[in-house]
């Protein structure tokens, strides 16, 4: 192949990743066959009911080259639940029906039925897949994706995905019931994370649980080679946690945020919110016998935990280290770096500069949203975006209705915004009243992040207007603002939601319908979409489905 790589001489600087004509034509399809089942596993020693693909947790890796097609046949082996799988960060240009969101792009896959997703790796780097029906993903229905492509920095050894998450010892349906009726002052408290996992592993103090528990369940290990540069692909697949990642005594070089290579910068602490990924390069500057801790913490208070186990470590052993002995390093990060609300944000926008420069243009339209939370008329805690609490209808996907020209007649709680033929939209979010940070995730796009901060936007300040940060998930700070912009060049219906599992379940989502005439006239919806809805309709005709949340 040209220059030994499927992407030939394309680099992070010289090729527009959003120009589909420039995507490498590899002619390859990477195929996977998955079955989703309920099972009992004990990632941290505590046995809990989980949802997994092919019996694995974390779920299987999808690996492809930039420009490949990916084909995944998902069989729903659950007995009492539908499911669907979302491919986080993938643009789905021309394939909006492959996005895997129940009630938006498809009906849930009914128990016993299969659905084959087929989509292209238009972007490259690190991402993840996860169940998008309700909060299924927080009980194990998640896994890594690596799309090989050029990098903004050289490295010697790719250590692969590093899966990071909070962990709860309760099935998601029970957690959601708790979330709805919780108050910070009780009597029902919000769910508190009980552990943190690295590569799906951690230990737990069994005296803290009444569930079947095996102590010292074990932790992940990594290998460093002296003098080499190691690539680690950090992925936060939490329900809620804002994760602080560090390696004792080391600086790391950030080379990508989400699917966006950035100009490399050095830091001692990486902040990753739910849904976000950060690729780092770490140079093994120690002795060949060294052992050092990698550590993640969520705390104590940017996200909720029970205070018992909010930091987890994994050993990094150099090639001649004694792996029978745990590292004895201590954290080089002062606890003052984790404070609420000051530190509950992503790294400052001025340090995260995309390698491929794209200036901000004047948007063709602007939407402003006030994000608030509180009890609704039936006493459930919900979120509003401009007074709308989103709720999906799993039997009636918005994309399929939009294709039929019915967008305008959908109920208001579907939160569908038809932007017609506008070429771009600026979204101005202001979060008031309830001091939580929200990792806002856009489907079908990377967004330019123009500004973020505490309070309200001044209406004009744009950070790095010549080339602002781009990514698919960005934190809005507690009682803060976030200004993002996307080009409306991807006909379809694209959710824009908080990736905290509780918050999207409580309705923090809007759906952007872009290029409606093109969708209605030119995008062909494959037959499998209608078949999946018929299968789901048939199943729900004979089984009671309880949609306890927004559906997402
Ligand atoms: Cu949120």
């Amino acid at each position: 192949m040209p220059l030994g790589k499927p992407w030939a001489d394309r680099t992070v600087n010289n090729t527009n990743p959003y120009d589909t004509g420039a995507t490498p034509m590899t002619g390859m399809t990477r195929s996977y066959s998955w079955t989703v089942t309920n099972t009992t596993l004990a990632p941290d020693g505590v046995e809990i009911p989980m949802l997994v693909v092919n019996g694995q947790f974390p779920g299987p890796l999808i690996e492809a080259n930039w420009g490949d097609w990916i084909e995944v046949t998902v069989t729903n082996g659950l007995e009492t639940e539908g499911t669907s799988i979302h491919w986080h960060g993938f643009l789905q240009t021309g394939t909006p029906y492959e996005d895997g969101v129940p009630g938006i792009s498809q009906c849930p896959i009914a128990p016993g039925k299969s659905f084959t997703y087929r989509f292209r790796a238009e972007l490259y780097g690190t991402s993840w897949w996860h169940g998008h029906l309700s909060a299924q993903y927080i009980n194990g229905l998640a896994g890594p994706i690596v799309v090989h492509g050029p990098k903004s920095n050289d490295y010697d050894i790719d250590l692969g995905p590093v899966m990071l998450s909070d962990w709860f010892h309760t099935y998601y349906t029970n957690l959601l019931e708790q979330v709805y009726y919780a108050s910070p002052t009780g009597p029902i408290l919000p769910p508190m994370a009980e552990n943190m996992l690295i590569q799906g592993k951690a230990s737990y103090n069994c005296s803290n649980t009444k569930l079947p528990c095996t102590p010292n369940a074990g932790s992940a290990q990594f290998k460093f080679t002296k003098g080499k540069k190691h690539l680690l692909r950090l992925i936060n697949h939490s329900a809620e946690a804002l994760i602080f990642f560090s390696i004792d005594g080391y600086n790391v070089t950030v080379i990508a945020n989400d699917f966006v290579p950035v100009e490399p910068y050095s830091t001692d602490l990486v902040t990753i919110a739910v849904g976000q990924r950060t690729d780092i390069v770490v140079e093994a500057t120690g002795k060949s016998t060294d052992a050092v801790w990698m550590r993640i913490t969520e705390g104590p208070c940017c996200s909720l935990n029970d205070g018992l186990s909010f930091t987890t470590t994994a050993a990094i052993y150099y090639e001649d280290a004694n792996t029978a002995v745990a590292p004895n390093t201590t954290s080089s990060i002062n606890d003052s770096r984790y404070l609420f609300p000051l530190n509950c944000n992503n790294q400052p926008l001025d340090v995260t500069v995309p390698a491929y420069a794209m200036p901000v243009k004047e948007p063709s339209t602007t939407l402003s949203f006030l994000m608030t939370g509180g009890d609704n008329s039936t006493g459930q805690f919900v979120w509003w975006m401009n007074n709308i609490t989103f709720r999906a209808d799993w039997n009636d996907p918005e994309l399929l209705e939009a294709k039929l020209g019915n967008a305008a007649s959908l109920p208001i709680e579907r939160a569908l915004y038809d932007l017609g033929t506008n070429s771009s939209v600026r979204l101005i979010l202001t979060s008031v009243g309830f001091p939580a940070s929200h990792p806002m995730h856009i489907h079908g796009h990377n967004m330019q992040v123009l500004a973020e901060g505490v309070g309200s936007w001044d209406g004009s300040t744009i950070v790095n207007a010549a080339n602002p940060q781009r990514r698919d998930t960005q934190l809005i700070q507690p009682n803060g603002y976030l200004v993002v912009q996307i080009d409306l060049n991807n006909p379809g219906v694209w959710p824009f939601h908080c990736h905290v599992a509780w918050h999207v379940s409580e309705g923090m989502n809007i759906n952007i319908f872009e290029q409606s005439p093109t969708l209605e006239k030119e995008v062909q919806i494959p037959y499998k979409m209608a078949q999946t809805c018929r299968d789901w309709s048939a199943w729900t005709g004979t089984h009671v489905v309880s949609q306890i949340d927004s559906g997402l």
Side-chain angles (χ1 to χ4, degrees), residues 437-439 498 500 503 508:
S437 59
H438 304 289
C498 176
V500 169
H503 297 177
M508 189 176 266

Side-chain angles (χ1 to χ4, degrees), residues 29-45:
T29 296
R30 311 284 169 179
S31 297
Y32 297 85
S33 181
W34 291 359
T35 302
V36 179
T37 57
N38 274 124
T39 189
T40 299
L41 293 174
D44 63 352

Side-chain angles (χ1 to χ4, degrees), residues 345-458:
N345 54 18
N346 283 133
Q347 268 145 333
L349 294 178
D350 56 356
V351 302
T352 49
V353 180
Y356 184 84
M358 300 183 80
V360 177
K361 293 175 290 195
E362 206 46 44
S364 63
T365 189
T366 297
L367 296 177
S368 297
F369 289 93
L370 193 64
M371 303 158 71
T372 53
D375 285 350
N376 69 7
S377 57
T378 60
Q380 289 194 342
F381 188 92
V382 296
W383 296 96
W384 293 282
M385 293 186 72
N386 285 358
N387 297 318
I388 297 174
T389 298
F390 165 74
R391 186 174 169 87
D393 182 342
W394 286 339
N395 294 66
D396 188 27
E398 296 187 25
L399 175 71
L400 307 188
E401 288 288 4
K403 167 70 182 172
L404 296 172
N406 298 335
S409 58
L410 290 176
I412 193 164
E413 71 266 20
R414 304 283 195 93
L416 183 62
Y417 292 82
D418 183 352
L419 300 186
T421 57
N422 276 292
S423 60
S424 60
V425 62
R426 181 170 295 177
L427 299 161
I428 304 170
L429 308 183
T430 309
S431 173
V432 297
F434 195 95
S437 59
H438 304 289
M440 298 303 296
H441 169 51
I442 185 95
H443 288 226
H445 292 277
N446 279 317
M447 49 195 174
Q448 291 184 303
V449 184
L450 310 191
E452 66 89 25
V454 174
S456 305
W457 189 42
D458 63 11

